[in-house]
Amino acid sequence: MDTPTIRPGKVELSTQVPRVLAYFANAAMGNTVIQVLPQLGVRADQLGETPPDLMPKFQGMVLSIPCETPELMAQVEKLCRSQGARVHRSRA
């Protein structure tokens, strides 16, 4: 595994936002979801992604999606499930 890159600069402490964790067996479906998320109101700068080259057998993708409201979380879960993801919730 690669060493994480650390960006220079001051980091402001912010409140934790609940997240949806979605595992996609096919990375193409994960990429489709990434393209639709900003249209739902998800901030792209807070989206977490584990690409296929860091996954076992170099297949699949994991997305960590911030959801500020319960309504947004429901929409994100529905979208991810429609693309074949296994979905889990992470509390703040």
Side-chain angles (χ1 to χ4, degrees):
M1 180 177 263
D2 296 333
T3 304
T5 305
I6 300 173
R7 297 181 183 174
K10 184 177 178 182
V11 176
E12 297 290 330
L13 296 176
S14 63
T15 60
Q16 291 283 339
V17 176
R19 292 183 167 269
V20 170
L21 302 174
Y23 169 73
F24 296 89
N26 183 343
M29 297 305 188
N31 286 328
T32 301
V33 169
I34 289 172
Q35 293 175 12
V36 176
L37 287 174
Q39 297 171 14
L40 295 178
V42 174
R43 292 183 49 186
D45 63 333
Q46 294 183 357
L47 182 64
E49 173 193 0
T50 302
D53 33 327
L54 298 178
M55 298 292 291
K57 299 182 184 177
F58 303 104
Q59 293 183 11
M61 178 182 286
V62 176
L63 295 180
S64 175
I65 307 164
C67 298
E68 296 178 3
T69 65
E71 295 80 19
L72 179 59
M73 184 172 280
Q75 288 179 328
V76 167
E77 287 179 353
K78 183 178 177 183
L79 172 65
C80 291
R81 285 192 176 109
S82 73
Q83 295 299 317
R86 288 186 301 187
V87 177
H88 304 278
R89 289 184 180 194
S90 173
R91 295 184 191 145

